[in-house]
Amino acid sequence: SSPKPFWLSGVAKETCAAFAQALVTAKMPSPLKSRAGKKSVAEMKAELNSLHKPPARLVEAIFNKYHQICLESEPPLTEIQIQEPDVNWKALVMSLPPPQNSSVLGCGIRRVLLKQADCVYEGIYRFHVERRDLTMVMFEFRDAYDDAYHHYKDKSFKDDVDTALRAAILPHLTQFKELHCKDSQMELVSHISGVALPWEKAVVQHFPVTFKILLDAFLVENQLDMELIKLDFDPDHGYRIKDPEIFDKWRTFHRSQAQYRIISTDEAMEQDHL
């Protein structure tokens, strides 16, 4: 009879069995051993995330946190340093639209503060960058998230629109003060108390028709929704009206309808409106 093929012989069977047993008992190399001493995937992701700008939700939470701290103080704090070491402020600033990003960054960030904005409307807080040369500049963090995933620019915030509208008519108020100066001595008289006031202590108040009534009438007349008035960044007042047609219409309306009186800064603190 012809000999059996090798794979059917006893030697071949013993060899296959020994090989199979070796596969079972052999210690396979662990992928964790090959990564010994190296960072995990989660650690590498965390490092990459630290290079990106923080999520908008986190920045909003930081703003609200420090804003509340300012308001809870008596009197309210005008500024407070932001103590959030895990936030990449440079990445946030560089996400602002150009050339605003470069102008805000300047020579580098020394620290970040939440500070009252120097604008015509009191009580408005914004993030401020203090640069390495100790100069300071304000920025609006929402401008860094003007993309398809965020909707800050779909609607404007009413307080921001109010700020822009007041800034637009600020020259009218200044002109009124100038017209009421006595003999160019920069001295004005309160319409409430009759007390003489230096320029810096005199406030122009919309009276008897309030600013709010004027604004509501303007919005109705032009069929405008306050939240849909688009804004641009303004270095002096925080915001300005983006649409030049709305800007001109508002200034023309205000000039023709507004009435004023002079009051002191102390008297202004007791008023419900200016």
Side-chain angles (χ1 to χ4, degrees):
S1 62
S2 60
K4 294 182 179 181
F6 173 76
W7 57 85
L8 294 179
S9 67
V11 174
K13 289 181 180 179
E14 290 176 1
T15 303
C16 290
F19 181 72
Q21 183 64 28
L23 288 176
V24 172
T25 57
K27 292 183 178 180
M28 298 295 289
S30 169
L32 295 178
K33 285 186 177 181
S34 66
R35 292 192 50 81
K38 298 181 181 179
K39 294 178 181 179
S40 66
V41 174
E43 289 172 333
M44 290 189 291
K45 283 184 177 180
E47 282 193 356
L48 286 175
N49 288 336
S50 69
L51 301 176
H52 299 156
K53 67 182 177 184
R57 183 165 47 187
L58 173 61
V59 182
E60 280 189 43
I62 292 172
F63 181 94
N64 293 335
K65 170 186 170 182
Y66 286 87
H67 185 231
Q68 190 63 32
I69 293 173
C70 290
L71 297 183
E72 287 175 351
S73 299
E74 185 58 42
L77 300 176
T78 58
E79 65 178 58
I80 184 172
Q81 183 175 345
I82 306 296
Q83 301 283 359
E84 301 291 338
D86 294 333
V87 174
N88 189 336
W89 293 105
K90 181 179 179 181
L92 176 61
V93 167
M94 292 309 295
S95 296
L96 296 170
Q100 185 185 345
N101 51 3
S102 298
S103 64
V104 172
L105 182 64
C107 59
I109 298 174
R110 181 172 179 266
R111 59 177 182 157
V112 177
L113 302 94
L114 185 67
K115 185 175 181 291
Q116 273 196 4
D118 295 328
C119 63
V120 295
Y121 197 73
E122 291 186 359
I124 300 297
Y125 287 80
R126 292 289 178 267
F127 285 124
H128 285 67
V129 167
E130 184 179 272
R131 305 188 188 100
R132 295 185 183 278
D133 60 1
L134 302 184
T135 57
M136 192 171 293
V137 63
M138 173 181 67
F139 72 95
E140 172 53 71
F141 77 88
R142 298 180 185 91
D143 291 341
Y145 299 94
D146 187 15
D147 53 49
Y149 301 99
H150 300 88
H151 304 283
Y152 289 124
K153 301 304 178 68
D154 290 350
K155 289 186 177 181
S156 300
F157 293 91
K158 287 185 177 181
D159 288 345
D160 298 341
V161 177
D162 190 284
T163 299
L165 292 168
R166 287 181 181 272
I169 53 89
L170 182 59
H172 300 171
L173 309 188
T174 304
Q175 184 181 35
F176 180 80
K177 285 180 73 172
E178 291 172 344
L179 290 174
H180 282 71
C181 284
K182 284 186 175 180
D183 303 324
S184 300
Q185 309 246 337
M186 302 302 285
E187 192 175 70
L188 298 144
V189 176
S190 168
H191 290 195
I192 294 178
S193 62
V195 175
L197 303 168
W199 177 273
E200 63 274 8
K201 293 290 185 180
V203 177
V204 178
Q205 180 188 33
H206 288 84
F207 185 86
V209 180
T210 67
F211 179 84
K212 185 179 185 307
I213 292 175
L214 282 174
L215 177 55
D216 289 344
F218 172 75
L219 295 174
V220 170
E221 180 178 305
N222 291 273
Q223 298 183 359
L224 291 171
D225 186 333
M226 194 166 177
E227 292 183 344
L228 297 181
I229 297 177
K230 301 298 182 183
L231 304 176
D232 269 341
F233 173 78
D234 184 88
D236 296 322
H237 306 294
Y239 298 98
R240 62 171 175 261
I241 300 171
K242 186 174 184 178
D243 189 328
E245 184 178 353
I246 295 177
F247 178 86
D248 291 338
K249 282 184 176 180
W250 165 240
R251 293 191 68 172
T252 302
F253 177 87
H254 184 270
R255 185 179 293 280
S256 64
Q257 300 295 326
Q259 300 176 57
Y260 320 98
R261 68 176 179 178
I262 299 291
I263 60 177
S264 70
T265 52
D266 291 337
E267 290 163 345
M269 296 295 290
E270 299 173 356
Q271 301 294 312
D272 295 329
H273 58 84
L274 291 176

